[in-house]
Amino acid sequence: MAKKASDNLKYYHNPNGPTIGTVSRRVIEKDGLTFKDIDGTGEVTAVNDWRLSPAERAAAYVKTLTTDEKIAQLFISDWRMGPACPAAGHTVIPDESGVLDDAEFNGKTIFGEQHLPGTTTLIKEWFNRHLILRASPSPADMADWLNQLHAVAEECEHFVPVQAASNSRNENGEVVFGMNDASGVFATWPGTLGIAAAVLGEDGDTALIDKFADCIRREWAACGLRKGYMYMADCVSDPRWQRTFGTFGEDPELIEKIFERLIPGIQGGPDGVTKDGVSMTVKHFPGGGARENGFDPHYAAGQWNVYATEGSLQIYHIPTFRPAVKYHAASIMPYYSKPAAAKSAPQTDCEGSALRMDPYGFAYNKVFIDGILRGQMGFDGYINSDTGITHNMSWGVEALDVPERIGFAVTQSGVDLISGLFDNAEGREAYARAANGYYDTHPVPEGFKKEDLVLTDESLDRAVSRTLAELFQQGMFENPYADPKHAEEVVANEDDWKEAALVHRESVVLLKNQDRTLPLTTDKLSGAKVYAEAFAKDAEKGAAATKALREMIARFEIHLTDDPAEADYAILMVSPSSGAYFSATPGYLELDICEDKTVHDVGADGKPLPSTHTETTLAGAKRIPAIAAAVHAHGGRVIANINFPLAWMVGNVEPYADALTAGFDTYPSATLDVLFGRFEPVGRLPITLPRNDAVLAVNADGVCASPNDVPGYAKDQYMDPALKDENGKAYAYRDAAGNYYELRFGLRY
């Protein structure tokens, strides 16, 4: 194949039917209609007949595909693009078209050791069809790459299009000063917490979610990217959970309302994904927010979901996934963690019966997946595991080998797609063990049953028919191809970028405005001197950000000074950072905005130790009081903005600021527009900010002063009365003006 797929692409139009797009696949003419020869029979079979339902066609196709072809459909993993977007440290060997990468890969990744072929071999010989795209190519390059994958797949005896999945691409992931606000590949909105802040600013009106969802659907579909690992329906209840930034906050009612609009908007309709829609994989059932003092299940210390409060699972966590069932989300992703029965209060299932908490990770947990999600809630999509469950985060099934973990997930709990590695050989072994007498000579691991550890024809066909049905429903068997030029045009739509920019501004929350310090209008700044500094966890990064911030402010024709002692106004942009996905901090995740703070270590059992270490979430944090004192000494004012990927404790910033704003991976230009009065603040907090260390203190038994499974707005009812103030409040931060920084709080000018 010397040319790109688009050079050889042909279309056949059916009256009142789908358009057939093909590079090399045979087409069949019958009764004035055109059909693609998907199964290679040359006939209008049930597989090839687009007049039948996706479920009927998928059921027929699983009877046609070989066992090895079906096993390959069980796995999804990261895949490299090629010359248009080469991976760092990897030498690309282009295929004949110059689009795909045909180099082999041998090495270790965070999810295990991989020995992988080139792309053409993966598609044609291994028959894998589910890939994860993590690169950020241009829209045209993305369309070309996906088109070429489909074209190679067409050369196989049995055609199955390639389903590439991606994490969300339409939110800003980091505050970068001086960047062009239109520098993303797709129209770039604030972080999901910022979107929630903007929705709350509209008194809960979710109309902006329609625009957000429609933008995603049009941009992704135009590029040929038809599946998103998005969004997180998790309700934040433990503020030390490092993944807070990817959620819509702590209010289950708000999250549910957002997903009521988000799912049909992205998928194209209320009845499931459409032919111009993008499949959603809603994460992470039954909610990842109920962490144990912030420990994350990407590492062993966080492998438990703890429900310390009676009924918390059904009150705060399960409801956020109801829209995924109601609006037929294509798939749902279970979390890595497992329920901690010994540390949990009584919980119920969706029918009010006492809940059995088997100690298996949720992808392996039949009670939660097959029982609650499918049986009681009625979910009819497929289950896509989180990445790495068979090699790394195999919580509760560590005694099993990889083939057994595959069998247990698919056959026993009903997982349909396993994310992590292309474990085709291990899947083949799980299938072979069903009939080859393996367990005649090998013991069945204690606590497990042989029939649950193998892949059967029944479980294999069930899983594959579900993922095939998605592809049929999307129309990808008939025409999976995208027009690269059209992709560029759709993503360049200025209206989408303008709408995203508006929501950046709407996401800014005004927390404090003493003596009407803000807005910094032209009359206030006339003749005034302004000191500006940006702070980050890394001092060098903070210095670079400060330089860029000053350049941004200078465009407002403002007189800048390097000396806070002569400043009439100081603008401090504070961007703390704490923790990481794949490794635990030596102690509990630090939420204080601090520098060289002495904190206790934590033992392997999750309990605090007498020994200590130091934590820094913001380099230069200790200088903030001195800067404020220098400005205040001659009557100047201090304005601070804090970026909130986590629910920071603000006690080391707020007392020194006359005005305080909050952003959520919000563009700095949007924040400055609010500070300088170009946009009136409307955002409201989507999370409650904890008061201090006392409300997050963990006792010698590992129990937190505020329950980890209850969102911030509801924690007070479960806390020690000794911690409560005269208003009966304990948890939320209270500023000098008496305002509590809790869910839905936000001031106006």
Side-chain angles (χ1 to χ4, degrees), residues 201-348:
E202 298 292 333
D203 295 323
D205 183 351
T206 52
L208 74 85
I209 298 298
D210 292 341
K211 297 177 182 178
F212 177 57
D214 185 63
C215 172
I216 293 167
R217 181 190 59 77
R218 286 183 288 101
E219 291 188 336
W220 287 47
C223 296
L225 191 60
R226 303 294 301 279
K227 171 175 171 169
Y229 277 161
M230 56 192 184
Y231 277 88
M232 291 173 63
D234 311 74
C235 174
V236 176
S237 55
D238 187 331
R240 286 182 282 213
W241 185 31
Q242 212 269 338
R243 300 195 70 179
T244 295
F245 69 90
T247 73
F248 290 96
E250 69 178 30
D251 181 359
E253 282 189 32
L254 175 66
I255 297 167
E256 190 169 1
K257 285 179 64 178
I258 287 174
F259 276 83
E260 290 266 348
R261 309 290 281 265
L262 197 61
I263 294 172
I266 292 176
Q267 294 201 153
D271 300 321
V273 67
T274 63
K275 288 178 171 54
D276 61 354
V278 174
S279 293
M280 284 182 66
T281 300
V282 177
K283 307 184 289 188
H284 303 85
F285 189 81
R291 309 274 24 91
E292 184 176 19
N293 300 322
F295 297 130
D296 191 277
H298 281 95
Y299 47 84
Q303 63 186 278
W304 302 101
N305 261 31
V306 178
Y307 303 104
T309 309
E310 186 171 354
S312 63
L313 178 66
Q314 291 295 339
I315 297 171
Y316 303 114
H317 299 283
I318 291 289
T320 60
F321 291 90
R322 291 189 295 221
V325 176
K326 180 179 179 181
Y327 292 105
H328 307 278
S331 58
I332 285 178
M333 180 179 288
Y335 209 27
Y336 297 114
S337 47
K338 58 189 179 184
K343 298 181 179 182
S344 295
Q347 304 295 325
T348 64

Side-chain angles (χ1 to χ4, degrees), residues 14 31 51 110 141 269 353 390 394 473 521 523 535 625 642 720:
N14 284 293
D31 300 329
R51 295 169 297 187
I110 54 177
D141 286 337
S353 299
T390 56
S394 308
Q473 191 167 354
T521 53
D523 59 321
F535 297 81
I642 302 173
D720 186 341

